Amino acid sequence: MKLLISVDMEGVSGIVHPSETNPERYDYQRGRELMTADANAVVAGVLDADPTAEVLVADAHGTFRNLLPEQLDRRARLVRGKPRALNMLAGLDEETDAALFVGYHVRAGEGPGVLAHTMNGEILDVRVAGRSLGEIGLNAAMAGHLGVPVVLLSGDDAACAEMNALVPATVTVPVKEALGMVAAVTLHPEEARDRLRRAAADAVARRAAIEPLTLATAPLYVEVDLASPHTIDLATLVPGVSRAGGARTVTFTSPDYATAYRLILLLAQLATIKPA
C-alpha cells in the first residue's frame, strides 16, 4: 500500500499565530517541532494499520522546508523543497491508495478559523464550477482526479467541517477549536498526537469506504478573486485568463481538473510578484 501524508502548518496542534509558522519570526522553530511531531503521529498510525505500507510525507507549508528531517519517523520518506509538481501533493500519483491531510486550515473568508487563507493573502476566493474551494477542496479534488481518496484530515474545527462538507466519510481530527484568526482552545499536543495516531490507523483501515472527491464534469469554469490589481494585470497575460465579473475576478475554462489546478497554482505564484 502506498500513502501520501501532506502536512501543512497552520492547523497543527498548539499553533495559533504567524510567529509560529513564519521562518522570519521568533517562535518558528517551536512551530517546526510541533509540525514534525504531528506528522510522526500520523505516520505511526498508518504503520500501525499496515506495517508494510510505503509512506511519503510531503512538507506542504510555505517554503516546503519546515519539517525537521532528522526528527521525522525514519520509516517514512520526506518530500521537501519547491517548486515541484503537484505542489502540496508532491509524490501523489494514480498508484497512491490514500492521502492524509495534516495541519490543514479553513479557506479564506471562512471562520472563525485559525490562520484562515487560501494559498496566500492575495487569493480571496477560488470557485470551480461555482463551488468555493480553499486548499482543502483544491487538493482533495486533485487527489480525486487521480482516483485517490482523502481518508483523514486534521486541523481546527472549521477545517474539519470544511472537509466533511466535501467528503462526509473522511475521518477528521479537530486538534483545536477556533476562536478567531489567531486564537483557539487547543488540545495538549500529546493528547492531539494520541488522537491523530488512532485516527490515522482507523482511516487507513476504512479507506475502501471513502470515495475520492469528484467535481463537475469538464470543461470546468474557474473564477479566482485576487486582492491586488497588479496580480490581476499579470494574470491576464496568461493565455485563456481574462477579467470577468467584478474588478477583482479573473476567469478561465479548463479541459480537466489537473489543468485547472496547475493554472490556479500559477496564479497564486504570480500573486507573490510585487510591482517593480
Side-chain angles (χ1 to χ4, degrees):
M1 182 167 61
K2 180 180 177 182
L3 300 164
L4 178 77
I5 303 172
S6 173
V7 190
D8 204 351
M9 202 168 189
E10 289 86 355
V12 162
S13 61
I15 285 180
V16 298
H17 194 274
S19 67
E20 298 161 320
T21 64
N22 187 329
E24 297 179 358
R25 304 292 290 274
Y26 74 96
D27 224 5
Y28 171 66
Q29 183 62 26
R30 178 171 171 273
R32 298 179 77 188
E33 293 171 355
L34 291 168
M35 180 186 186
T36 305
D38 274 16
N40 280 339
V42 175
V43 172
V46 164
L47 294 172
D48 287 343
D50 183 354
T52 67
E54 176 187 354
V55 182
L56 289 177
V57 176
D59 191 319
H61 173 73
T63 62
F64 295 172
R65 291 182 286 108
N66 309 278
L67 290 166
L68 298 166
E70 68 277 11
Q71 292 185 20
L72 190 68
D73 192 312
R74 65 186 299 170
R75 297 171 294 177
R77 290 186 296 148
L78 175 61
V79 185
R80 70 194 304 257
K82 65 191 308 185
R84 64 198 193 194
L86 293 188
N87 203 49
M88 295 175 74
L89 299 179
L92 189 80
D93 58 28
E94 294 90 342
E95 303 303 315
T96 305
D97 293 284
L100 301 90
F101 293 172
V102 179
Y104 270 56
H105 54 82
V106 74
R107 68 186 185 272
E110 291 296 304
V114 175
L115 300 173
H117 66 278
T118 298
M119 297 186 181
N120 55 51
E122 293 292 331
I123 306 293
L124 302 178
D125 192 23
V126 178
R127 295 176 297 282
V128 179
R131 188 168 197 174
S132 179
L133 299 173
E135 291 168 37
I136 292 171
L138 293 169
N139 290 332
M142 186 63 235
H145 179 76
L146 296 175
V148 180
V150 178
V151 299
L152 177 132
L153 178 136
S154 72
D156 67 15
D157 54 331
C160 292
E162 184 172 316
M163 182 73 244
N164 285 142
L166 295 165
V167 184
T170 296
V171 176
T172 54
V173 186
V175 298
K176 51 198 171 191
E177 177 187 350
L179 299 178
M181 187 69 169
V182 291
V185 178
T186 74
L187 295 176
H188 189 284
E190 291 181 3
E191 173 62 23
R193 292 165 204 155
D194 287 345
R195 296 187 187 190
L196 285 169
R197 182 169 184 167
R198 292 193 299 269
D202 179 50
V204 170
R206 294 170 48 191
R207 67 188 183 281
I210 302 173
E211 294 291 330
L213 176 63
T214 56
L215 299 177
T217 56
L220 295 169
Y221 181 69
V222 180
E223 303 165 277
V224 181
D225 294 342
L226 299 165
S228 168
H230 178 66
T231 304
I232 296 170
D233 292 340
L234 291 174
T236 55
L237 297 176
V238 178
V241 177
S242 60
R243 298 174 189 263
R248 295 182 182 273
T249 304
V250 298
T251 68
F252 62 90
T253 300
S254 176
D256 56 59
Y257 185 77
T259 302
Y261 183 79
R262 289 195 295 270
L263 188 45
I264 292 165
L265 294 179
L266 175 60
L267 295 179
Q269 188 62 39
L270 290 178
T272 67
I273 300 174
K274 303 304 179 184

